[in-house]
Amino acid sequence: MNTTHDTMHKNTTTAQLLTGTPLAGRVAVVTGASSGIGEATAFRFAQLGASVALLARRGDRLDDLEDRIRDIGGTALAVPTDVADRSAVLAAAERVERELGQVDLVFANAGVQLIAGITDLAVDDWDTQLSTNVGGVMNTVQAFVRPLVAAAEAGRPADLVTTSSIAAVRILEGFQVYSATKAYVAQLSRLLRTELGRKKVRVATIEPGMVDTELPDHVTDPAATRLMADLIAQIDVLRSADVAETVAFLAAVPRHVNLTEITILPTEQII
């Protein structure tokens, strides 16, 4: 479950645990890079030395992030892409390999959260979540799984990291479709590891709790909006940078180490 708020985190700072450039020489792809966890993770990858391809629908936001990465001496490539569009993702993969090189780190993070009661029959929202949260991940796997295997065969680290959610395993009213899509992502990642692990490709999924992102800006159900607002008023939620540091750590550990599933919650979150 992700959420957002405008108040300051008085007691929260993001410790950057990694130092130096442990991702130097790596070529990373981040989907959903225009905001939130994706944006923060792409920037952190670049800080740690990776060349980063930025995929999302909002090209203007990607251009801004590309500029910020270049300002710190990093390498980034903005590739406006709707991950729900298979042909667009495949075209993006070709461009990334042509301009940055062979991909060896993929963060399949793009997703939407649209919460409503099931009897509201918000079928357009169902379709959007299925095409992005499920279809988008599958399109990303299709586009990059072979380069990841090739990188591993060449003796390089190779990582596929997905974004699930604590909502995948919690019972939350109104989250039926969103939670189901995130449960799909979590189980998919476990199953991909059974095949890709033997090929020395690490597969991991992160399951964030309440994070300060813009995902809930898409929520139209007033009751769900109030629920999230009430929860974040009571606790110090995560920042996107907290999750980004976790993903970067997953990618930076030695090649023979696979941190397969990490749940990251605010200390005070109990639901």
Side-chain angles (χ1 to χ4, degrees), residues 23-30 42-54 65-78 96 99-101:
L23 302 183
R26 301 195 64 179
V27 176
V29 170
V30 178
F43 191 82
R44 189 64 177 131
F45 282 171
Q47 284 182 313
L48 296 172
S51 299
V52 188
L54 314 170
L65 177 57
E66 182 183 61
D67 289 342
R68 287 191 286 120
I69 288 173
R70 290 177 176 174
D71 285 346
I72 64 167
T75 300
L77 175 66
V96 172
E99 298 192 31
L100 294 182

Side-chain angles (χ1 to χ4, degrees), residues 66 99 105 116 150-151 154 198 236:
E66 182 183 61
E99 298 192 31
L105 171 54
R198 291 193 295 270
D236 191 12

Side-chain angles (χ1 to χ4, degrees), residues 119-131:
T119 55
D120 293 345
L121 298 179
V123 293
D124 289 342
D125 288 353
W126 301 355
D127 290 345
T128 297
Q129 291 177 102
L130 289 167
S131 63

Side-chain angles (χ1 to χ4, degrees), residues 186-234:
Q187 185 68 352
L188 172 71
S189 300
R190 297 179 191 113
L191 294 169
L192 288 175
R193 183 176 174 270
T194 65
E195 179 177 351
L196 296 178
R198 291 193 295 270
K199 300 177 186 295
K200 300 186 184 299
V201 176
R202 298 184 293 198
V203 181
T205 190
I206 57 166
E207 299 173 344
M210 299 169 65
V211 186
D212 180 11
T213 74
E214 65 178 38
L215 272 184
D217 292 349
H218 307 141
V219 176
T220 58
D221 181 80
T225 302
R226 285 195 301 273
L227 171 63
M228 294 182 200
D230 289 345
L231 288 172
I232 63 172
Q234 299 169 22

